[in-house]
Amino acid sequence: MITCYLKYIIDPYKLKEFEHYGKLWIPLVEKFGGQHHCYFLPAEGANNVALALFTFPSLADYEQYRERSFQDEACVAAFKYAEETRCILSYERSFFRPVLNA
C-alpha cells in the first residue's frame, strides 16, 4: 500500500475554486482504484496551504492511474479547471507507506 501526500500552495482568494477542484478529484481517484482520504483546506494558521491524501494498493497502481488520468476526459477537464482558475500556485507530492501492527 502506498499513500500519496499532496501539499498545495493555493491562492487564498480562490479557496472556493480549489474546493471545487478537490471535489472533482475525489471520485476520479476512486474511479481508477484508489481510496481518497480527503482534501484538507486551511482553517487556522497559514491560509494558503491545503493537503490531499489518497492511497493505492501499490506504487505501480498509482503510476497506472497517473498515466490513465492524462487520457481520461474528466481528469483532463479537472486539470484544465485548475489551470484556468489558477487556484493552485504550486504543489509537492510525496509517498508514504503505513506502519501496521501485524
Side-chain angles (χ1 to χ4, degrees):
M1 181 181 343
I2 193 87
T3 297
C4 182
Y5 162 89
L6 287 161
K7 177 181 176 184
Y8 295 94
I9 303 302
I10 61 172
D11 182 335
Y13 298 104
K14 296 183 178 179
L15 188 59
K16 288 181 185 178
E17 290 86 346
F18 181 79
E19 185 171 357
H20 177 73
Y21 171 80
K23 288 178 179 179
L24 292 173
W25 274 105
I26 291 170
L28 294 174
V29 167
E30 293 173 354
K31 172 181 174 180
F32 290 103
Q35 179 185 3
H36 209 296
H37 303 295
C38 200
Y39 276 82
F40 299 89
L41 303 177
E44 292 293 325
N47 69 348
N48 67 336
V49 177
L51 304 173
L53 293 167
F54 56 90
T55 299
F56 277 87
S58 69
L59 186 56
D61 290 320
Y62 168 79
E63 290 170 349
Q64 285 181 341
Y65 145 76
R66 286 284 292 166
E67 287 178 23
R68 292 172 63 199
S69 72
F70 293 120
Q71 307 304 318
D72 181 82
E73 190 175 304
C75 293
V76 170
F79 288 132
K80 187 175 180 180
Y81 175 82
E83 185 179 322
E84 289 174 351
T85 62
R86 297 190 176 271
C87 59
I88 300 169
L89 303 177
S90 66
Y91 68 93
E92 62 184 57
R93 181 183 300 123
S94 299
F95 297 92
F96 296 89
R97 61 180 177 79
V99 176
L100 302 172
N101 190 7

